[in-house]
Amino acid sequence: MKSSTWYVEGDIKSYFPTINHDKLMELIERRVKDKKITGLIRGGLKAKIFTTEGTEVTPELGTPQGGILSPLLSNIYLHELDLFMQSMTEEWEGRSKSTRRKRNQEALNMLPPPKKGRKSENYRKRIPYYDPKDTRHIKVKYIRYADDFLVGITGSREMARETREEIGKFLREKLKVELSMEKTHITHISKGIPFLGYTIGRRN
């Protein structure tokens, strides 16, 4: 993942409370044909919630907070995003004209023969090892944990922006949840990318 240049830091608005029940059941019923099982799942989704004011609410959206099935159901839901990203990755990488990235000449100049080199200078000056303008070589990497996901892109910033737009459109139209455009940042590797308590950088 750290070999990417640009990163899309995914953030879905209020994901668990906005999962669409009908869409979720449609996805489950593709594989589970037992009506008793699907009926129990739907019943669990519609279980009444008692508010602090003493009123009852029947949820129309979302999975129960603390529900034993909620993590599983949420993963079933976002598995569709995983499949979408797989197809997007294949499409982007299919446009590549080269399987090898060009070395960055500026970085090469920092390593005079006989390879004694000054790699530390490259890191200090944040000089990329490969040519960041090499449009012949495209790579897309994707990782997700629950509703947090990260897309690493070896390509242009415009490609990262287009990827973010496509993901937002897919989530909105196919899964009926919203990508937070304000919180879904596009970040360069030199800035460090936070993910699940770690920071992804060129050296770490």
Side-chain angles (χ1 to χ4, degrees):
M1 182 63 85
K2 71 176 185 177
S3 62
S4 303
T5 307
W6 294 97
Y7 292 79
V8 178
E9 304 173 55
D11 186 279
I12 301 174
K13 287 183 181 178
S14 304
Y15 172 59
F16 284 87
T18 58
I19 291 175
N20 184 280
H21 291 176
D22 291 336
K23 182 62 181 181
L24 174 59
M25 293 310 303
E26 174 192 325
L27 297 174
I28 293 172
E29 287 167 359
R30 290 180 187 175
R31 300 291 295 272
V32 180
K33 304 303 181 183
D34 190 319
K35 296 296 184 182
K36 290 183 179 180
I37 297 296
T38 55
L40 284 170
I41 294 173
R42 187 179 288 275
L45 293 171
K46 296 295 185 183
K48 292 180 180 180
I49 298 171
F50 294 89
T51 68
T52 54
E53 291 78 21
T55 58
E56 297 179 3
V57 178
T58 301
E60 298 298 324
L61 295 171
T63 57
Q65 291 190 14
I68 193 169
L69 281 182
S70 290
L72 175 61
L73 297 177
S74 68
N75 267 322
I76 290 172
Y77 207 73
L78 283 186
H79 179 63
E80 298 303 300
L81 175 62
D82 301 341
L83 296 176
F84 173 75
M85 288 306 304
Q86 181 179 348
S87 64
M88 177 180 279
T89 297
E90 292 170 354
E91 179 185 351
W92 275 121
E93 294 186 357
R95 303 180 191 181
S96 292
K97 298 177 182 178
S98 173
T99 56
R100 299 185 63 183
R101 297 175 68 184
K102 287 173 60 178
R103 289 284 302 276
N104 185 5
Q105 189 59 49
E106 187 178 1
L108 287 172
N109 292 340
M110 299 293 294
L111 301 173
K115 296 186 178 179
K116 292 180 180 179
R118 294 191 295 274
K119 284 189 177 181
S120 60
E121 284 292 293
N122 283 356
Y123 291 128
R124 187 177 67 81
K125 295 183 177 180
R126 295 182 175 179
I127 299 172
Y129 184 76
Y130 291 105
D131 184 355
K133 297 180 180 179
D134 183 8
T135 58
R136 305 172 310 147
H137 180 90
I138 295 173
K139 285 289 181 184
V140 179
K141 297 178 181 178
Y142 164 78
I143 187 170
R144 178 177 67 82
Y145 180 84
D147 59 327
D148 294 317
F149 65 89
L150 193 64
V151 184
I153 294 170
T154 302
S156 66
R157 191 184 193 284
E158 177 61 25
M159 178 180 166
R161 188 198 63 77
E162 186 177 336
T163 299
R164 181 178 65 174
E165 296 293 330
E166 288 296 320
I167 292 172
K169 181 180 178 182
F170 174 82
L171 290 173
R172 182 174 59 256
E173 295 182 357
K174 301 298 184 182
L175 294 182
K176 304 182 187 303
V177 292
E178 287 289 333
L179 187 69
S180 173
M181 289 301 187
E182 300 79 17
K183 295 182 179 179
T184 301
H185 304 296
I186 296 175
T187 310
H188 192 268
I189 182 64
S190 62
K191 303 294 184 182
I193 318 301
F195 188 66
L196 301 180
Y198 291 87
T199 299
I200 299 171
R202 285 206 181 102
R203 300 186 70 177
N204 57 290

